[in-house]
Amino acid sequence: MGIRRDSPKNSPRKKTTLKHLFDLDPKPYVGSPLPSPRRGGGGTDYEHDGILSAISYCNSVFTFTDPQESPSQQDLKRLKLMDVVSLLKSPKKPLHEQLFSPLMSMVSVNLFRPLPPPSKTSIVSALPDDEELSTFTPLWPHLQLVYDILLRLVLNVDSRKLKDYIDHQFIRNLLYLFQSEDPRERESLKNVFHRIYSRFTSYRSFMRKAMNEVFLHYVFETEKHCGIGELLEIWGSIINGFGVPLKEEHKLFLMRVLLPLHKPKGLQVYHRQLAYCVSQFVQKEPALAGVVVRGILRYWPITNCHKEVLLIGELEELVENIDPDQYRTLALPLCSRITRCFNSCNSQVAERALYVWNNEQFVKMASEAMEEVFPVVVEGMERNLKLHWSKSVKQLTENVKAMLEEMDPPLYDKCLREIHHRESEAHREQIKRQQKWDQIETAAAKHSHFLQPTKTICVSSH
């Protein structure tokens, strides 16, 4: 016979749910939530011991490459880490201070490790379109949860209580991990590092200097680092919060750190973040545009066409924020560089440079110094129309030429006449030079016997 719903044995009336049955089960099971403090008077101590036991178990580090490691133990550690994460996410009760030390010790043991030597695809793998070529660490199933634990600690715990654990050495260790080739780890690091910068205000100056040391070491020594883009993203947020007028320290950072970052051959990996940081400075103080433009021109590549295309786009964006008072001083160096670019044998560089003339601000800047700019630009256009191999480049050149002719027809005609005059002068000089060489050859032929080599007879000893 079944049990009646109104039987007194079932009082008080409760719904027999799946959760209720699990609560009644006295046997612990793998992956169960950490013990609840509702189990009587000693529940808090029981919960505390359970948390410490889970944290202690997570101090064991698995490589995921050693065949002697047990997969079941790896899965058990992951479940323990998930239990700790769920505890930190719970808003019901603040974390006990006695857990800070074991938690931070566990985080350090799991995160701060020697990184494997960089692979040959480290630069290629960081490109946005080649994420499938990235090197992923096998430790990520555990590292992901450890980073989540650290992030929760930084967000939910008073920064004054964590200062004994998150110190300068801890921050240096985090910076070292930005060299990881796993983009997932670098993304987690970026979030954690940015939150530490936001909450630990007394560390901000140190953290900025530490990041600058990484940038300078990359630019002037190694040119090998996977995390430059992520560090620049952090800097982009920092710069966005700078007040106006900018401090001298921040301007020096722009000139001594950000501008030299245009030099390395791996620029394309982090150029988007770098351009954003630079544009933030110019938007806050348009007077810095002259320093920025000259700095980019100083580090212009010679043989790297892809970098040229990127830098042309960055210069075009900077023109939008240039102070109009600087138009006249910057017009000639900018237009001269753009002219050399649309004379490039690489069609992508040439086309990108010609498209700059569709920018109204750029044309406006050039018109402020037409007497100096037109002779350079017109000569480059005529050279393209005569010598460039690409039909599309020639067509774009024709379009730009028509636009320039409409801007100032007399000046354009004057530039053409000067070009023809220089070409005719050069042709006459070439004729004179050839005549002189002909005279030298004629004189040499008359005295050819002085130039004849002495004839010798070689007698073989065989």
Side-chain angles (χ1 to χ4, degrees):
M1 294 179 62
I3 300 176
R4 291 172 57 89
R5 294 181 181 272
D6 55 352
S7 173
K9 294 182 181 180
N10 293 337
S11 61
R13 295 178 180 271
K14 278 188 178 180
K15 292 184 179 180
T16 306
T17 62
L18 184 61
K19 181 178 183 302
H20 178 63
L21 293 175
F22 272 112
D23 289 339
L24 294 176
D25 189 359
K27 298 180 182 180
Y29 63 98
V30 174
S32 63
L34 291 169
S36 172
R38 292 177 295 178
R39 300 174 182 262
T44 303
D45 293 336
Y46 183 70
E47 178 190 22
H48 188 269
D49 292 341
I51 297 171
L52 287 177
S53 175
I55 295 172
S56 176
Y57 188 85
C58 294
N59 282 323
S60 57
V61 178
F62 297 94
T63 64
F64 287 83
T65 56
D66 187 351
Q68 295 183 354
E69 293 179 357
S70 170
S72 61
Q73 291 180 347
Q74 294 172 354
D75 293 338
L76 179 58
K77 176 181 176 180
R78 187 170 185 274
L79 292 172
K80 297 283 186 182
L81 288 169
M82 291 173 67
D83 290 341
V84 177
V85 172
S86 63
L87 171 73
L88 294 173
K89 287 182 178 179
S90 175
K92 295 181 180 179
K93 186 177 180 181
L95 195 65
H96 200 284
E97 291 188 19
Q98 292 181 356
L99 296 176
F100 294 165
S101 179
L103 273 173
M104 294 302 300
S105 176
M106 183 270 292
V107 167
S108 298
V109 166
N110 282 272
L111 294 186
F112 303 147
R113 67 203 187 277
L115 296 176
S119 64
K120 295 181 180 179
T121 59
S122 60
I123 295 297
V124 177
S125 64
L127 292 175
D129 297 333
D130 294 326
E131 290 184 358
E132 67 276 4
L133 301 177
S134 299
T135 303
F136 296 108
T137 175
L139 303 175
W140 185 244
H142 291 171
L143 289 179
Q144 180 181 17
L145 295 169
V146 175
Y147 278 114
D148 199 3
I149 291 171
L150 178 56
L151 182 61
R152 294 290 167 182
L153 285 171
V154 173
L155 289 175
N156 300 336
V157 179
D158 188 350
S159 60
R160 292 171 294 183
K161 297 179 180 180
L162 290 179
K163 272 194 173 182
D164 292 337
Y165 311 103
I166 299 180
D167 54 10
H168 287 186
Q169 187 57 47
F170 188 91
I171 292 171
R172 288 193 189 96
N173 291 337
L174 284 179
L175 270 177
Y176 169 78
L177 293 176
F178 275 97
Q179 298 182 68
S180 170
E181 294 184 5
D182 193 329
R184 302 169 300 180
E185 180 170 13
R186 297 198 303 271
E187 185 67 21
S188 296
L189 274 167
K190 180 189 70 176
N191 294 332
V192 170
F193 202 85
H194 190 206
R195 292 297 182 178
I196 292 175
Y197 184 90
S198 175
R199 301 210 62 192
F200 291 75
T201 55
S202 60
Y203 288 168
R204 290 182 179 180
S205 177
F206 170 78
M207 294 175 74
R208 291 196 300 267
K209 291 178 181 177
M211 286 189 284
N212 292 351
E213 290 174 2
V214 174
F215 291 142
L216 294 174
H217 184 73
Y218 167 75
V219 172
F220 297 108
E221 295 191 35
T222 63
E223 290 198 9
K224 293 179 181 178
H225 199 291
C226 294
I228 299 298
E230 285 77 10
L231 290 174
L232 285 172
E233 283 189 46
I234 297 172
W235 259 109
S237 177
I238 295 172
I239 296 168
N240 194 32
F242 284 167
V244 178
L246 294 171
K247 295 180 180 179
E248 191 64 25
E249 170 198 349
H250 302 151
K251 294 179 183 180
L252 289 176
F253 166 70
L254 168 67
M255 292 182 284
R256 296 180 179 178
V257 180
L258 289 185
L259 292 179
L261 277 170
H262 290 83
K263 176 184 176 182
K265 58 185 177 182
L267 171 68
Q268 59 266 31
V269 176
Y270 55 83
H271 179 260
R272 177 179 58 84
Q273 297 92 333
L274 177 60
Y276 176 77
C277 290
V278 172
S279 66
Q280 286 287 305
F281 273 103
V282 178
Q283 287 175 16
K284 289 181 178 292
E285 283 199 16
L288 291 173
V291 175
V292 171
V293 168
R294 292 186 181 91
I296 294 175
L297 294 179
R298 184 184 307 123
Y299 296 109
W300 201 270
I302 298 176
T303 57
N304 193 327
C305 298
H306 188 63
K307 280 181 65 174
E308 284 193 274
V309 173
L310 293 175
L311 294 182
I312 292 170
E314 184 175 357
L315 287 177
E316 184 178 1
E317 292 178 4
L318 286 172
V319 169
E320 300 286 341
N321 299 310
I322 289 179
D323 189 348
D325 294 338
Q326 301 187 56
Y327 278 173
R328 191 167 189 85
T329 57
L330 294 178
L332 183 58
L334 265 175
C335 292
S336 298
R337 173 52 63 184
I338 295 299
T339 301
R340 286 196 288 271
C341 288
F342 67 63
N343 285 149
S344 171
C345 294
N346 184 282
S347 60
Q348 291 182 339
V349 175
E351 290 177 10
R352 184 65 186 86
L354 287 165
Y355 279 125
V356 172
W357 286 97
N358 292 331
N359 187 300
E360 293 181 4
Q361 289 297 118
F362 185 85
V363 174
K364 183 178 178 181
M365 180 190 66
S367 63
E368 292 290 326
M370 294 179 66
E371 292 289 340
E372 294 86 3
V373 168
F374 259 50
V376 177
V377 177
V378 172
E379 184 176 3
M381 299 246 175
E382 294 300 317
R383 186 182 298 115
N384 257 16
L385 294 174
K386 292 179 181 178
L387 303 176
H388 208 284
W389 61 271
S390 172
K391 292 183 179 179
S392 60
V393 171
K394 286 186 176 181
Q395 181 60 48
L396 289 172
T397 304
E398 288 281 3
N399 297 339
V400 177
K401 177 182 178 181
M403 180 190 70
L404 293 178
E405 285 179 330
E406 293 178 0
M407 289 176 62
D408 195 334
L411 181 58
Y412 198 97
D413 292 338
K414 177 184 175 183
C415 293
L416 283 179
R417 289 194 299 270
E418 290 177 354
I419 292 171
H420 295 323
H421 177 71
R422 287 197 298 270
E423 289 178 351
S424 61
E425 287 290 332
H427 183 64
R428 283 196 292 270
E429 289 294 329
Q430 178 64 24
I431 293 175
K432 290 180 180 179
R433 191 179 299 110
Q434 187 61 44
Q435 290 175 349
K436 289 181 180 179
W437 277 111
D438 291 341
Q439 293 174 1
I440 292 172
E441 290 177 359
T442 302
K446 293 179 179 178
H447 303 280
S448 57
H449 62 280
F450 291 110
L451 303 177
Q452 292 291 339
T454 306
K455 295 182 180 180
T456 58
I457 300 175
C458 295
V459 180
S460 174
S461 61
H462 296 290

